[in-house]
Amino acid sequence: MQKLRIAIQKSGRLHDDSIKLLKECGIDMNNGVNKLKTEASNFPLEVFFLRDDDIPQYVEDGVADIGIVGENVVLEKARTVDAIEKLGFGKCRLSLAVPKGMEYTSVKDMQNMRIATSYPVILEQFLSKNNITAEIHEISGSVEIAPGIGLAEAICDLVSSGSTLFMNGLKEVETVLKSEAVLIANKSLTAEQIQILDKLLFRIKAVKKAKNNKYVLLNAPNDNLAQIISLLPGMKSPTVLPLAEAGWSSVHSVLNENDFWDIIESLKAAGAQGILVVPIEKMVI
Ligand SMILES: Nc1ncnc2c1ncn2[C@@H]1O[C@H](COP(=O)(O)OP(=O)(O)OP(=O)(O)O)[C@@H](O)[C@H]1O
Ligand SMILES: O=P(O)(O)OC[C@H]1O[C@H](OP(=O)(O)OP(=O)(O)O)[C@H](O)[C@@H]1O
Ligand SMILES: [Mg+2]
């Protein structure tokens, strides 16, 4: 049987979450340290461990069929691949930053500046869209140090918590791109490869959906049951079971976590008690 070849980051920010996602999809594999290639034992998948920068090219060339990589890398490398599914991890933004003490009012302040970045393609597109001419200095890492050593006046780099910028005396002034890990695929997969990819995607979507939702159980006085049920959407409708104590029911429902925090007060006001919120492992609707 044909196998689908997936490229994931060998080490770095996306490695652990990529492995975790595959495992949550029920895919077993031996991913020992320093392994460059492995095979799943219970799914037709071969896994290559690569530098993230190389993944778009390998997927375009068909050396790998699919890959997991940041959207920032996909756009920077500008390879012809299909971006199939956002994966909800590796969330960060590509931002312009300047020294803390520098006055900054708008992107026009970037005119004629020297900007250090590892993302010259994305930065160039952003600058030209804003009619700015600047000198782009491409460096491959430790970008935040550039203003401090006189290499540039500004930088364009990835930010998540902002602590690297802070530690280097910089402030974020513009978001150029929002990014997260994405599943990419070669554009000419065979019918058999597409079949395996669809199977994997089905599992990924079930795992993603489960992460955003919670199983909620609560006790409700029967007198207020209708009101409590109206607050809880459920997958189809909530499950209602009688409690041993007369006049009370147990109500079970599935809720988006954000919605839960919005309705908790109303649930309590309607007499709900003993509210439990439980994680869901997989969710298929
Ligand atoms: N601070 C961050 N928070 C969240 N995600 C991030 C952060 N920094 C980077 N990422 C995402 O993780 C990806 C990989 O980041 P990492 O720093 O591991 O890359 P790298 O050093 O280029 O690794 P490699 O050795 O594979 O070339 C980035 O392209 C981006 O999509
Ligand atoms: O806003 P923060 O939470 O501080 O994250 C931002 C930092 O994270 C990334 O580097 P990483 O730590 O992955 O190291 P690297 O430069 O060696 O890739 C990125 O290049 C920034 O330097
Ligand atoms: Mg890299």
Side-chain angles (χ1 to χ4, degrees), residues 13 144 157-164:
R13 293 266 184 179
E144 291 91 347
D157 198 19
L158 298 175
V159 183
S160 66
S161 67
S163 66
T164 310

Side-chain angles (χ1 to χ4, degrees), residues 87-229:
L87 300 174
F89 59 85
K91 286 192 178 171
C92 56
R93 51 199 187 273
L94 184 65
S95 290
L96 281 166
V98 297
K100 219 169 38 214
M102 185 180 133
E103 221 174 279
Y104 182 91
T105 43
S106 78
V107 69
K108 290 196 179 65
D109 294 343
M110 289 291 156
Q111 183 68 26
N112 296 328
M113 286 226 176
R114 291 175 303 163
I115 310 175
T117 189
S118 310
Y119 295 89
V121 172
I122 300 174
L123 177 59
E124 178 53 45
Q125 281 167 3
F126 176 83
L127 293 174
S128 68
K129 202 177 74 199
N130 286 285
N131 297 315
I132 306 290
T133 314
E135 214 179 288
I136 298 177
H137 279 258
E138 183 177 355
I139 52 178
S140 59
S142 304
V143 174
E144 291 91 347
I145 207 178
I149 58 172
L151 185 69
E153 286 79 45
I155 66 152
C156 176
D157 198 19
L158 298 175
V159 183
S160 66
S161 67
S163 66
T164 310
L165 291 183
F166 181 78
M167 283 188 303
N168 286 282
L170 301 171
K171 62 178 178 187
E172 191 176 356
V173 291
E174 300 284 342
T175 304
V176 173
L177 173 82
K178 284 196 171 141
S179 177
E180 66 184 85
V182 65
L183 186 73
I184 57 170
N186 177 276
K187 281 195 164 286
S188 21
L189 297 181
T190 64
E192 199 178 343
Q193 288 169 327
I194 290 171
Q195 234 178 17
I196 305 171
L197 175 57
D198 284 346
K199 246 183 171 171
L200 178 64
L201 256 182
F202 177 83
R203 296 186 186 191
I204 289 175
K205 285 180 180 163
V207 169
K208 265 179 69 183
K209 193 136 196 73
K211 283 204 175 119
N212 295 329
N213 286 277
K214 297 280 179 259
Y215 192 72
V216 178
L217 304 94
L218 57 84
N219 294 330
N222 287 349
D223 290 345
N224 290 358
L225 206 49
Q227 190 189 350
I228 288 174
I229 288 172

Side-chain angles (χ1 to χ4, degrees), residues 5-44:
R5 296 158 302 167
I6 186 170
I8 66 173
Q9 197 187 21
K10 182 178 180 297
S11 62
R13 293 266 184 179
L14 303 182
H15 173 83
D16 289 354
D17 284 331
S18 302
I19 300 271
K20 188 164 151 249
L21 175 66
L22 295 177
K23 295 215 157 142
E24 285 169 341
C25 287
I27 296 169
D28 283 335
M29 60 189 172
N30 173 359
N31 55 303
V33 196
N34 291 329
K35 268 207 158 191
L36 297 180
K37 200 174 119 177
T38 192
E39 275 183 35
S41 56
N42 58 354
F43 195 85

Side-chain angles (χ1 to χ4, degrees), residues 231-242:
L231 294 165
L232 295 166
M235 281 177 80
K236 202 169 197 70
S237 75
T239 305
V240 180
L241 302 165

